[in-house]
Amino acid sequence: MQTITTLQAVYNALEHVMDPEIPVLNVLELGMITDVKIDLEGVHIKMIPTFSACPAIDLIRENITNTVERELQMPAIVTVDKEVNWNSNRLSEEAKEKLRNYGIAAPVRHEGDVSLDLLEKANCPHCGSESTYLRSPFGSALCRALHVCRQCGMMFEQFKPL
């Protein structure tokens, strides 16, 4: 038996779908959800990956489906939105703060032109210093770069500005 639900109930359920690589962030905070519709077939959700070659996209899609179906007791149809590209400006301010608390530097807001200069600049999430340098444009995941802080000596990752 299908139940009637609201868009707010869907968004409430989506708050429980965490990123598998950064488990302090949910898909809403990451700006991954581009559309939600409810009809007689169920809940239709469009999502975008944070990086075009994200290896976790199938897992995230499955987690969205399972969470929405479990919490709302109705079918969920999750598709990748091919018309919207994710960029780091989609991260909420809450997400950026959670990244810093998790030890990952948040990307800076940009006006659409992403240059190497944006990738090289990252404030240390451990001590807040601006005196850091890019060690490698590739971190533990494709969407992150590796930096070192000259002030505290800590190595840290930065969520790449895209």
Side-chain angles (χ1 to χ4, degrees):
M1 181 169 103
Q2 186 169 323
T3 61
I4 297 173
T5 194
T6 64
L7 284 176
Q8 186 58 54
V10 176
Y11 283 101
N12 289 346
L14 291 170
E15 288 178 352
H16 300 128
V17 181
M18 307 311 279
D19 182 274
E21 294 174 340
I22 308 173
V24 296
L25 297 179
N26 66 50
V27 294
L28 295 174
E29 293 165 329
L30 283 163
M32 296 177 70
I33 304 303
T34 60
D35 192 36
V36 175
K37 291 189 172 122
I38 303 168
D39 64 20
L40 295 177
E41 292 178 9
V43 180
H44 299 266
I45 301 168
K46 287 186 178 181
M47 58 152 311
I48 51 177
T50 58
F51 198 82
S52 62
C54 179
I57 191 65
D58 289 333
L59 177 61
I60 295 169
R61 229 171 69 199
E62 182 180 319
N63 288 346
I64 291 171
T65 301
N66 292 341
T67 300
V68 170
E69 288 182 350
R70 181 182 63 249
E71 291 191 20
L72 303 179
Q73 300 296 304
M74 61 188 309
I77 302 97
V78 181
T79 57
V80 175
D81 191 337
K82 306 280 188 199
E83 296 184 24
V84 178
N85 292 317
W86 187 88
N87 71 61
S88 53
N89 289 343
R90 294 181 67 93
L91 287 168
S92 70
E93 287 306 312
E94 183 179 15
K96 290 178 181 182
E97 184 63 29
K98 286 182 178 182
L99 280 171
R100 285 187 284 272
N101 292 336
Y102 194 66
I104 298 174
V108 296
R109 186 156 189 82
H110 58 81
E111 300 304 317
D113 290 330
V114 179
S115 64
L116 183 57
D117 186 48
L118 286 178
L119 183 60
E120 290 177 338
K121 292 181 180 178
N123 289 0
C124 177
H126 303 290
C127 72
S129 174
E130 294 179 9
S131 181
T132 66
Y133 66 91
L134 177 66
R135 175 146 186 206
S136 171
F138 305 102
S140 64
L142 294 171
C143 58
R144 294 186 242 168
L146 193 58
H147 291 262
V148 176
C149 179
R150 290 183 178 99
Q151 183 73 33
C152 70
M154 295 289 290
M155 190 175 300
F156 64 92
E157 289 186 305
Q158 172 199 33
F159 204 101
K160 289 180 185 174
L162 298 174

